[in-house]
Amino acid sequence: MPPFIIGVCGGSGSGKTTFCRQLVKYLGTDHVLHISQDSYYKDLSHLPFDQREKINFDHPDIIEFPLLVSHLDELCLGKNVALPLYDFAKHSRMMGNQFATPKPIVILEGVLLFSDSDTEKRINHKVFIDTSEQVRFERRLKRDVRERGRTPESVHSQFNSTVGPMHNIFVEPGKTKADQIISGEQSFEQVIEDLSLKIIKEIWTL
């Protein structure tokens, strides 16, 4: 039986990772495979570092969607896949892979998921997390400085030059494709409980 694929989309800093982690915890790690679109950033190791920093990382072209789609198809066939690993500080793929085995539920998380038609049509249930721009920026600022080795100035610059504009063009329209729109500024507890019950019922009827 192919896995039930849940796609969780929303702007950078909207709360996607928190939502997905809570959903995985609720459903149980034995039953869920969590895949992040961020792992599929194209490898830029062939470029000098100063050129990598100038790349628009918020445009769909920077994501290797064909590889993501092929991995989803392989999982649906019951095959193991080798997920790429990405180093955000260096803007390049890391050596090695993370091997993943098929599970009944796949949670797919990413900013640009619904912008790629081949990826979007493989998702059984699409969730869009709607969060104000100010909150998204504040969360991104904290994360990028703490986890990705960036300066506050570079985060400000990137948000104004690419993150904000690309959100309006490629991310926000994803709302129209979503099966469910939820707030990223409120507790996810009840939403996760209701969604989990829905998923379990869907799997039983497959």
Side-chain angles (χ1 to χ4, degrees):
M1 185 174 68
F4 187 86
I5 301 176
I6 307 160
V8 181
C9 186
S12 176
S14 60
K16 297 183 300 302
T17 300
T18 298
F19 178 83
C20 289
R21 287 175 178 167
Q22 290 180 11
L23 184 57
V24 169
K25 183 177 181 180
Y26 193 94
L27 291 167
T29 54
D30 291 341
H31 308 293
V32 183
L33 173 62
H34 180 195
I35 299 176
S36 174
Q37 166 211 285
D38 288 356
S39 298
Y40 293 84
Y41 275 111
K42 293 178 179 177
D43 186 27
L44 302 176
S45 58
H46 60 287
L47 296 175
F49 184 75
D50 61 336
Q51 290 186 30
R52 296 180 213 171
E53 289 189 302
K54 298 175 183 177
I55 297 293
N56 182 355
F57 291 96
D58 298 282
H59 192 284
D61 287 349
I62 195 60
I63 305 296
E64 195 174 349
F65 279 114
L67 179 60
L68 172 56
V69 167
S70 71
H71 283 173
L72 293 176
D73 289 346
E74 288 176 12
L75 288 168
C76 286
L77 293 172
K79 298 180 180 179
N80 297 337
V81 295
L83 306 179
L85 300 172
Y86 196 79
D87 187 329
F88 290 95
K90 297 180 179 178
H91 305 306
S92 63
R93 291 236 178 115
M94 299 169 64
M95 296 292 291
N97 301 94
Q98 177 185 350
F99 289 93
T101 58
K103 293 186 178 181
I105 302 166
V106 172
I107 297 178
L108 187 59
E109 169 195 351
V111 172
L112 296 163
L113 287 183
F114 301 166
S115 70
D116 181 74
S117 60
D118 287 336
T119 302
E120 184 252 331
K121 70 184 181 183
R122 285 166 168 77
I123 299 172
N124 300 106
H125 184 80
K126 295 182 280 291
V127 177
F128 188 94
I129 301 183
D130 194 19
T131 306
S132 69
E133 182 175 81
Q134 182 61 34
V135 171
R136 287 189 286 107
F137 170 73
E138 290 172 355
R139 290 175 178 174
R140 183 182 175 107
L141 177 62
K142 292 178 182 177
R143 181 202 67 188
D144 283 6
V145 171
R146 181 179 65 248
E147 300 176 12
R148 300 185 177 179
R150 301 191 182 152
T151 64
E153 293 76 18
S154 69
V155 177
H156 270 278
S157 176
Q158 186 180 33
F159 198 92
N160 291 331
S161 62
T162 61
V163 177
M166 295 299 99
H167 176 92
N168 295 334
I169 298 171
F170 297 111
V171 183
E172 193 71 15
K175 278 186 184 180
T176 63
K177 302 176 183 179
D179 299 299
Q180 183 177 10
I181 300 173
I182 63 176
S183 170
E185 300 177 47
Q186 299 177 7
S187 170
F188 294 135
E189 185 175 354
Q190 188 60 54
V191 174
I192 286 174
E193 183 176 338
D194 293 342
L195 178 57
S196 297
L197 291 173
K198 172 182 171 60
I199 293 166
I200 292 168
K201 289 179 181 178
E202 290 282 352
I203 291 174
W204 281 344
T205 59
L206 289 176

